[in-house]
Every structure is written in C-alpha cells, then in structure tokens.
Amino acid sequence: LGLGVAIDEALALGLDVIEYHVTTMAELLRTKLEDAGLETFDLGRAKSGLVTTVVPGMEAAEVKDALRAEDINVSVSAPGSTLLDFVRRDLPSLVRISPHYYNTEHELDVAVAALAALAR
C-alpha cells in the first residue's frame, strides 16, 4: 500500500522534477562538503543523487552513529557493496548521503556543519 502511495506521489510531482531536484541537491552537497575540506568520492560525468565522503580519523559507521544522534540520516557504503571499485581505488567504508526531493538546502547545511565538526 505504501509503495503505491509513493508511486502516485512521484508521478504527481513528475519524475523529471524529482530527478532535477535530487541531482541539483547532490551537486550542491558535493560543493559544500569540498568547501568544508571534506573529500567526495563520486565518479562520472553524470553523477547520481548519492554522495559519498569520509571524516578523516573516523570509521564510516562511527560517523553514521554520530550523525544519527543529531537526527541526520546517512548510510554506510562498505567495500562489499562495490568490491571491484573499492579495491581498485583502495577506498575505506564511505559515508553515503542521499538527498531526496523533499530535502532542503538548509538540511544540507546542517549535515555539512555536523560532518565538519566531526572532522575537527
């Protein structure tokens, strides 16, 4: 039932509108993270709405837990999820931030400020 409602909502908003908002927010997030001195790891000319980063000196799971305590939801991309890419690029587990169509620029600022505080 919930899936049906989600599909109806997405179609009512328009998939092109959702894609534009998500990719715009993700690109803005990448810029804000990099401006805060945090590295991003997303490749490709056309990047998705998924943004990955690390906090130096902290495991991705620790970052996830610290952000969760501030009501900021992120996930962890572990090497097993894309083993060949992680091995080829020698990546650690990454913090994965996935802006959605309902997220705001203010929420991005809050997340970046929290990540920057952890990096200090």
Side-chain angles (χ1 to χ4, degrees):
L1 198 56
L3 178 59
V5 171
I7 291 169
D8 289 344
E9 183 177 322
L11 293 175
L13 286 170
L15 298 181
D16 54 338
V17 171
I18 292 171
E19 178 186 20
Y20 178 79
H21 184 76
V22 168
T23 56
T24 299
M25 294 296 282
E27 191 54 39
L28 182 59
L29 177 58
R30 286 183 193 94
T31 299
K32 289 175 179 287
L33 287 167
E34 290 167 3
D35 288 349
L38 296 166
E39 186 176 4
T40 61
F41 296 89
D42 313 314
L43 300 177
R45 285 179 294 168
K47 294 180 177 70
S48 74
L50 305 177
V51 180
T52 54
T53 191
V54 295
V55 172
M58 290 184 75
E59 294 293 324
E62 291 176 287
V63 174
K64 177 185 171 187
D65 292 343
L67 293 179
R68 182 66 196 122
E70 297 186 43
D71 292 325
I72 301 168
N73 293 313
V74 299
S75 60
V76 173
S77 289
S81 64
T82 56
L83 186 59
L84 296 177
D85 187 45
F86 272 81
V87 169
R88 181 178 57 82
R89 295 170 59 197
D90 192 29
L91 295 173
S93 290
L94 302 171
V95 177
R96 177 177 154 167
I97 309 166
S98 308
H100 212 313
Y101 68 86
Y102 49 75
N103 290 120
T104 65
E105 185 173 348
H106 173 72
E107 290 170 319
L108 299 183
D109 291 337
V110 169
V112 170
L115 286 160
L118 291 173
R120 288 189 202 124

